[in-house]
Amino acid sequence: MDILDDLKYRGLINQVTDEEGLREALKKPVTFYCGFDPTASSLHAGNLLIIVIMMRLQKTGHHPIALVGGGTGMIGDPSGRSTERQLNTKEVVDGFSESLKTQLSRFLDFDHGTATYLNNSQWLGKLSTIEFLRDVGKHFPLNYMLSKESVQSRMEAGISFTEFSYMLLQSFDYLNLYENQGCTLEIGGSDQWGNITAGLELIRRKGHEKPAFGLTFPLITKSDGTKFGKSMGGAIWLDPEKTTPYEWYQFWINASDDDVVNYLKYFTFLSRDEIEVLADEVRNHPEERKAQKTLAREMTKLVHGENALTEAEKITDALFSGDVSQLTAAEIRQGFRAFPTFDAPSKEPVKLVDLIVEAGVASSKRQAREDIGNGAIYVNGARRTQLDDVLTEQDRIDGRYIIIRRGKKKYTLIKY
């Protein structure tokens, strides 16, 4: 199966400018690029799709260029947006660009020539207004630009000349990479189709004859129609400081039966046969959630590594079983970010009854005594039933945490 057929099986092809021409070109090594505008300090789960596609192409012998938009990021892409972006300062954009370079280097090796990192501020920052208008702008009739969906969708609400010019800047990126890097393929999400085809048009109008191509991939949504890559806490980030490996693992393991097989196709490097076996498991034994567990393992290994996967599974098992006493302080910080946390005002011993009232586990001392007497209170996974129980330094995990559970699932973290 060639790379285009593999992408088709995985549901990853949305539009191709010349499929047969591209298929023929891909029989030899092709240099291709994808752009990442630095609008935040981290990429997110939605960006991961395009990174994985770059890795797929690289595995079949093609050369990826990861282009971070230090220049275009100063302007703002109107694609897929109903309002103008808030413009960041150069210092902020430069900082975001460096963060993205670091993240991308975990997936694409920039140090040994197998992948290339570039920042379009290298050429856009040197481009004068007159030069840009003469050498780029003159090749784009106004009616051509107005026909693009990214512009049409904004006409009623309004679009500034700044964002209107984004298409020309991205087109210049493709031309620059075509002429100086031998790049003949641009890939991106389906919302980038207009920008990609504009770049191809500029290459053609500049008189170049060597074929160049564009390839887009569908934007992912969940089966219920909600946006992919979001959780109750917001975006799911690749940065472990923003989304911990445990939270990342939980995002994937909680995929619905309707979504999980597609996610296995989109994001993992499992073979077609392996995916079909898991699809059968979803149909015949959905309660075992083998596909979700496989997806969570593969995605956590890919983004955070084997050690982080081991920690995430350990935390998951501890929370499911209630046996949290074996968790380290670092694992507790990961696993309990979404749970209520109470900062203990003192390191002195404290009565259990008083602590669970102060921490909001129980609404009153009467309720606290009832919960303890009924066996509903657990400290670090162990049931506590004595009304006069006192918690001391020996009860603190790594000297810093006590985990109180009321009933089966209601956890509260006490932090010292």
Side-chain angles (χ1 to χ4, degrees):
M1 184 186 302
D2 70 15
I3 183 63
L4 286 184
D5 287 337
D6 183 53
L7 292 175
K8 279 187 176 181
Y9 161 70
R10 295 174 183 275
L12 290 176
I13 293 183
N14 187 66
Q15 291 169 298
V16 190
T17 53
D18 174 8
E19 182 173 340
E20 290 310 310
L22 179 58
R23 189 182 297 275
E24 184 64 27
L26 289 171
K27 291 179 180 179
K28 297 178 181 179
V30 164
T31 297
F32 68 95
Y33 95 95
C34 181
F36 301 86
D37 271 350
T39 57
S41 62
S42 173
L43 298 168
H44 52 74
N47 300 127
L48 187 62
L49 178 67
I50 201 74
I51 297 172
V52 169
I53 291 169
M54 294 177 79
M55 294 171 71
R56 293 189 199 283
L57 285 163
Q58 185 176 33
K59 285 176 180 290
T60 54
H62 306 293
H63 183 89
I65 297 174
L67 181 67
V68 170
T72 46
M74 297 288 294
I75 300 300
D77 184 359
S79 303
R81 295 182 61 86
S82 58
T83 58
E84 292 274 325
R85 289 183 185 274
Q86 179 178 344
L87 298 181
N88 290 315
T89 65
K90 184 178 186 303
E91 291 73 22
V92 169
V93 172
D94 287 347
F96 288 169
S97 297
E98 282 301 308
S99 296
L100 266 56
K101 178 183 179 182
T102 300
Q103 285 193 337
L104 288 165
S105 67
R106 291 173 10 211
F107 306 98
L108 303 165
D109 185 357
F110 300 132
D111 295 327
H112 298 94
T114 58
T116 299
Y117 167 84
L118 292 171
N119 187 319
N120 64 14
S121 66
Q122 294 171 242
W123 51 87
L124 293 182
K126 300 174 182 177
L127 193 63
S128 72
T129 304
I130 298 299
E131 182 183 4
F132 174 67
L133 292 175
R134 281 178 57 86
D135 296 344
V136 180
K138 71 175 183 178
H139 293 292
F140 287 92
L142 194 58
N143 59 347
Y144 175 85
M145 297 181 69
L146 291 171
S147 70
K148 297 296 184 180
E149 193 278 332
S150 61
V151 174
Q152 283 190 348
S153 64
R154 290 282 297 278
M155 291 301 290
E156 186 172 340
I159 181 172
S160 69
F161 179 75
T162 300
E163 290 199 0
F164 186 61
S165 68
Y166 184 94
M167 182 192 310
L168 277 64
L169 293 171
Q170 186 165 326
S171 300
F172 186 69
D173 283 344
Y174 198 173
L175 175 67
N176 184 75
L177 296 175
Y178 177 94
E179 292 179 340
N180 297 302
Q181 302 289 332
C183 178
T184 55
L185 172 63
E186 181 181 358
I187 66 174
S190 59
D191 60 340
Q192 293 301 307
W193 180 250
N195 292 327
I196 291 172
T197 54
L200 292 169
E201 180 69 8
L202 180 59
I203 290 170
R204 185 188 69 80
R205 286 175 176 262
K206 283 288 190 178
H208 294 292
E209 295 183 357
K210 184 179 179 180
F213 307 94
L215 175 63
T216 65
F217 311 101
L219 298 179
I220 301 174
T221 56
K222 296 180 183 179
S223 57
D224 61 7
T226 58
K227 190 170 184 179
F228 171 79
K230 298 282 187 178
S231 72
M232 293 294 289
I236 303 298
W237 302 98
L238 273 59
D239 183 344
E241 296 300 317
K242 290 176 173 285
T243 298
T244 68
Y246 166 74
E247 292 167 330
W248 178 263
Y249 179 89
Q250 289 298 310
F251 172 75
W252 298 101
I253 205 169
N254 286 316
S256 71
D257 291 343
D258 292 332
D259 288 323
V260 66
V261 175
N262 282 335
Y263 292 171
L264 287 166
K265 291 178 180 179
Y266 297 160
F267 292 101
T268 76
F269 293 92
L270 298 179
S271 68
R272 182 171 185 165
D273 289 343
E274 290 171 316
I275 292 171
E276 293 307 317
V277 168
L278 290 168
D280 285 339
E281 290 290 339
V282 174
R283 286 189 291 269
N284 299 319
H285 306 287
E287 73 284 353
E288 296 183 9
R289 297 184 69 77
K290 288 185 179 179
Q292 282 87 347
K293 292 174 183 177
T294 300
L295 176 66
R297 285 196 296 269
E298 292 295 317
M299 299 314 299
T300 307
K301 279 193 297 184
L302 175 67
V303 173
H304 297 296
E306 289 276 3
N307 291 338
L309 170 61
T310 300
E311 286 188 348
E313 290 183 320
K314 180 182 175 183
I315 297 167
T316 299
D317 291 342
L319 289 173
F320 181 78
S321 67
D323 183 13
V324 296
S325 61
Q326 300 305 311
L327 296 177
T328 66
E331 290 163 349
I332 289 170
R333 284 193 294 273
Q334 272 201 63
F336 285 82
R337 288 214 314 187
F339 289 102
T341 298
F342 175 72
D343 289 307
S346 169
K347 291 187 176 182
E348 297 299 319
V350 60
K351 290 182 179 180
L352 178 59
V353 169
D354 294 338
L355 180 60
I356 62 177
V357 173
E358 291 175 16
V361 178
S363 58
S364 66
K365 286 190 176 182
R366 175 184 172 185
Q367 182 66 57
R369 285 190 285 267
E370 286 184 7
D371 289 341
I372 294 170
N374 291 334
I377 297 298
Y378 297 77
V379 175
N380 299 335
R383 179 181 276 128
R384 299 292 185 97
T385 58
Q386 300 300 314
L387 296 179
D388 59 352
D389 209 349
V390 175
L391 302 185
T392 68
E393 186 175 356
Q394 282 68 42
D395 292 297
R396 299 172 202 156
I397 299 173
D398 282 358
R400 296 197 58 190
Y401 300 109
I402 290 176
I403 300 170
I404 294 179
R405 173 164 59 95
R406 180 173 181 256
K408 290 185 176 181
K409 295 292 182 182
K410 186 179 178 181
Y411 284 97
T412 299
L413 179 64
I414 311 299
K415 185 165 67 173
Y416 290 87

